[in-house]
Short mmCIF file of all heavy atoms in Angstrom, two decimals:
data_model
loop_
_atom_site.label_atom_id
_atom_site.label_comp_id
_atom_site.label_asym_id
_atom_site.label_seq_id
_atom_site.Cartn_x
_atom_site.Cartn_y
_atom_site.Cartn_z
N VAL A 125 -4.35 -39.78 -36.86
CA VAL A 125 -4.59 -39.52 -35.43
C VAL A 125 -5.69 -38.48 -35.30
O VAL A 125 -5.88 -37.63 -36.18
CB VAL A 125 -3.31 -39.04 -34.71
CG1 VAL A 125 -2.24 -40.10 -34.71
CG2 VAL A 125 -2.80 -37.75 -35.27
N SER A 126 -6.41 -38.58 -34.23
CA SER A 126 -7.38 -37.54 -33.88
C SER A 126 -7.25 -37.31 -32.38
O SER A 126 -6.68 -38.12 -31.66
CB SER A 126 -8.80 -37.95 -34.27
OG SER A 126 -9.19 -39.12 -33.58
N PHE A 127 -7.77 -36.20 -31.96
CA PHE A 127 -7.63 -35.80 -30.57
C PHE A 127 -8.99 -35.60 -29.94
O PHE A 127 -9.91 -35.08 -30.57
CB PHE A 127 -6.81 -34.51 -30.47
CG PHE A 127 -5.40 -34.68 -30.96
CD1 PHE A 127 -5.09 -34.50 -32.30
CD2 PHE A 127 -4.39 -35.05 -30.09
CE1 PHE A 127 -3.80 -34.66 -32.76
CE2 PHE A 127 -3.10 -35.22 -30.54
CZ PHE A 127 -2.80 -35.03 -31.88
N THR A 130 -9.58 -31.33 -27.37
CA THR A 130 -9.05 -30.04 -27.82
C THR A 130 -10.20 -29.06 -28.04
O THR A 130 -11.35 -29.47 -28.21
CB THR A 130 -8.26 -30.20 -29.14
OG1 THR A 130 -9.12 -30.73 -30.15
CG2 THR A 130 -7.05 -31.09 -28.95
N LEU A 131 -9.89 -27.79 -28.05
CA LEU A 131 -10.93 -26.77 -28.24
C LEU A 131 -11.32 -26.63 -29.70
O LEU A 131 -12.37 -26.09 -30.03
CB LEU A 131 -10.46 -25.42 -27.71
CG LEU A 131 -10.15 -25.37 -26.21
CD1 LEU A 131 -9.74 -23.97 -25.80
CD2 LEU A 131 -11.33 -25.83 -25.38
N SER A 132 -10.46 -27.11 -30.59
CA SER A 132 -10.73 -27.01 -32.01
C SER A 132 -10.80 -28.41 -32.60
O SER A 132 -9.98 -29.27 -32.30
CB SER A 132 -9.59 -26.23 -32.69
OG SER A 132 -9.70 -26.31 -34.08
N SER A 133 -11.77 -28.65 -33.48
CA SER A 133 -11.91 -29.98 -34.09
C SER A 133 -10.81 -30.24 -35.12
O SER A 133 -10.55 -31.38 -35.46
CB SER A 133 -13.29 -30.13 -34.74
OG SER A 133 -13.46 -29.14 -35.74
N ASN A 134 -10.16 -29.20 -35.61
CA ASN A 134 -9.08 -29.39 -36.57
C ASN A 134 -7.73 -29.04 -35.93
O ASN A 134 -6.91 -28.34 -36.53
CB ASN A 134 -9.32 -28.59 -37.85
CG ASN A 134 -9.49 -27.10 -37.58
OD1 ASN A 134 -9.58 -26.68 -36.43
ND2 ASN A 134 -9.53 -26.30 -38.63
N PHE A 135 -7.48 -29.54 -34.77
CA PHE A 135 -6.25 -29.29 -34.02
C PHE A 135 -5.04 -29.77 -34.82
O PHE A 135 -4.98 -30.90 -35.27
CB PHE A 135 -6.32 -30.02 -32.67
CG PHE A 135 -5.06 -29.94 -31.86
CD1 PHE A 135 -4.65 -28.72 -31.34
CD2 PHE A 135 -4.30 -31.05 -31.61
CE1 PHE A 135 -3.50 -28.63 -30.58
CE2 PHE A 135 -3.15 -30.98 -30.85
CZ PHE A 135 -2.75 -29.76 -30.33
N ASP A 136 -4.08 -28.87 -34.99
CA ASP A 136 -2.88 -29.24 -35.74
C ASP A 136 -1.59 -28.87 -35.00
O ASP A 136 -0.53 -28.75 -35.59
CB ASP A 136 -2.89 -28.58 -37.13
CG ASP A 136 -2.86 -27.06 -37.04
OD1 ASP A 136 -2.90 -26.51 -35.92
OD2 ASP A 136 -2.78 -26.42 -38.10
N GLY A 137 -1.69 -28.72 -33.72
CA GLY A 137 -0.53 -28.33 -32.90
C GLY A 137 0.34 -29.51 -32.49
O GLY A 137 0.72 -29.62 -31.32
N TYR A 138 0.66 -30.36 -33.43
CA TYR A 138 1.47 -31.54 -33.13
C TYR A 138 2.23 -31.96 -34.39
O TYR A 138 1.99 -31.47 -35.49
CB TYR A 138 0.58 -32.70 -32.68
CG TYR A 138 -0.29 -33.25 -33.78
CD1 TYR A 138 0.11 -34.38 -34.50
CD2 TYR A 138 -1.48 -32.63 -34.14
CE1 TYR A 138 -0.67 -34.87 -35.55
CE2 TYR A 138 -2.26 -33.12 -35.17
CZ TYR A 138 -1.85 -34.23 -35.87
OH TYR A 138 -2.62 -34.70 -36.90
N TYR A 164 -1.86 -27.92 -24.30
CA TYR A 164 -2.43 -29.24 -24.01
C TYR A 164 -1.36 -30.17 -23.46
O TYR A 164 -0.16 -29.96 -23.64
CB TYR A 164 -2.99 -29.86 -25.30
CG TYR A 164 -4.10 -29.05 -25.91
CD1 TYR A 164 -3.86 -28.19 -26.98
CD2 TYR A 164 -5.39 -29.12 -25.41
CE1 TYR A 164 -4.87 -27.44 -27.54
CE2 TYR A 164 -6.41 -28.36 -25.96
CZ TYR A 164 -6.14 -27.53 -27.03
OH TYR A 164 -7.15 -26.78 -27.57
#
Side-chain angles (χ1 to χ4, degrees):
V125 296
S126 62
F127 296 88
T130 60
L131 298 182
S132 170
S133 60
N134 57 352
F135 175 67
D136 63 356
Y138 69 97
Y164 299 100

